[in-house]
Amino acid sequence: MSAALIEARGVTKILAGVVPVTLVQDIDLAIVPREFVAVTGPSGSGKSSLLYLLGLLDLPSSGDVLIDGRSTTSMTENDRAEVRLKRIGFVFQFHFLLPEFTITENVALPMRALGQLPSRAITARAEQLLASFGLGDHRRKTPDQLSGGQRQRVAVARALANDPPVILADEPTGSLDSVATAQVFGILRELVTLHGKTVVAVTHDLALAAQMHRRIHIIDGRVARDERVASATA
Amino acid sequence: MNLILTIAWTHVRHRARQTLVAIAGVMTGVGFSIMMAAMMEGSQDDFIKTLVDALPHISITDESREPTRQPADMVYAAAELHGLTPQVRRPGIKNPMAMIASLQSWVPGSLTPSVQSKALLRFAGRNLNISIVGIDPHTEVHVSNLGTHMRQGTLTSLYRSSNAILLGDRLANKIGARVNSNITLASAEGSNMNATVVGTFHTGFRAMDETTGYVLLKTAQILEKQTGIVNEIRVRADDPMAARLIAERIGEQTGYKSISWQEAQEDLLSAITLRNVLMYTIVGAILLVASFGTYNIISTITHEKTRDIAIMKSLGFRDHTIRAIFIVEALLVGMVGAALGWVFGYLLTRGLASLEFKTPFSDYNHLPVLYAVKHYVLATSFALLSSLIAGYFPARAAARLHPVDIIRGAT
């Protein structure tokens, strides 16, 4: 097996409060390159919380998350931001695009934040990404001028902007109709099969999960099942 | 365009109405600050200029700064003597012409002798106490602007008759005297003199125009019953601001009391300093109030943009980038407001300068204003600083947002 891109070691997240709430508990798992992973489970089971912890959006109460073998608990917020910028792309249930910017500008944002490419190259890459997802003709439009499926494709394009090896998707098809769901899922699958990315997606849709390489089932914040399916469609 | 600037510009551009209100707040603040500074400093400069023009820059009088030591004190230095009758001192500066000649060798400016006296003026049944100043018209023109303040006659009109006098126009009007009127002067020394009014002057200072008369040195000396007396030497320095230093040196050299215009008007200048403190406090308060508008818009934007902030942070934007975005937004409001404030302030100042009115103390027809770059720089600096502070706190709060809290809430 390849070295893990993301690894959770004894990760627990407890929300402090009058009554502390345990979101995830004692999770150990490793995500390796080119995996297409489904995180499933009932509502409130801790799927999204696990995804945020793996994506360094949240800090575990105990345990550690390793990215490329590096511990992240001792990192500063800026270091974690840099890891997110370079190594992880996020896709959320709602597109979460910036409404005042064109979709090209939205896709360009992570590249501009990274600041490694000149302005023209950034725009060219953003347009190329949009074109590859069939949105070339819409590049000057703002998110509110697109359909839900189109917006989610823009969100995937933005997640890929800095060419990260891992895409973390939180119910990426949760708010889409069946046609758009098929399109977005197809794109995610192609990211793994054609572009060698690793995709970890939280989903309620067991039919989609059945088409993925690995299914991690979460119940009450714990990993109830972790199945690798060699014969999955992907 | 820079990423931070792009996002900041997009945010403020998409909230045109709120942004315009905030910009209008800063513009008003900057505009009124510029106008107030122009008005306050203009009137102050004009006042000082009038003061400097009207009065001698340095006045050397026949007094000393320390009480005159009595002969017995000088002989018995260690003894304390009571009940001594003070030595009677002859008033006036000793050898005034020699002193003037000596001072002229190094004092950068002009000097003129004069006699200061008090007299009772009688005319048409009215008695008024006035100040009589004995002058030398030939040297007086180099030391004061009296020559340019003449309404009727000239300084040399004093040579027209034996006891000629120039009266302040308000004084002349008060007693109903005109040129060629004969008045009577009675001095404290007991001398009486008939004098002819040969001209009137108007300095713009009510106190001076209402209570002063100019005569020839010789006439004042006769009035004082002291032939050859000169009790004041007046100096007009080439650089009025150097008067204090020159006065100190003259005092050391001559032993007489030598007072610069700054020292003579110390209370007034202190009042001006206090006024400046008040002015800058008010200007600061105006801009502070304007900055609340900026704070309001930036707070509103950060509040409305919490989801966007969470998205940007999830994409990998650093805290300082998020902070910078909102600080730049505040500075954009501040800069545009300040730039418009320059125009507004300039127009307000012009408008104020065009207003006509009179004050009871002087003859300003228009409010004196000062157009100075420093007022614009100062108001802008304060506006930008206020905007920076107003933007910083919401920006800091924005940067501290925990993206997961927002994303979880949104989903």
Side-chain angles (χ1 to χ4, degrees), chain B residues 261-276:
Chain B
W261 68 271
Q262 292 105 318
E263 190 184 350
Q265 306 296 334
E266 208 153 22
D267 290 348
L268 210 56
L269 294 177
S270 299
I272 286 173
T273 308
L274 184 67
R275 203 176 74 141
N276 283 341

Side-chain angles (χ1 to χ4, degrees), chain B residues 86-103:
Chain B
Q87 184 189 32
V88 176
R89 194 171 57 86
R90 188 177 184 273
I93 294 169
K94 286 179 188 167
N95 298 323
M97 295 310 158
M99 185 185 288
I100 288 173
S102 163
L103 292 175

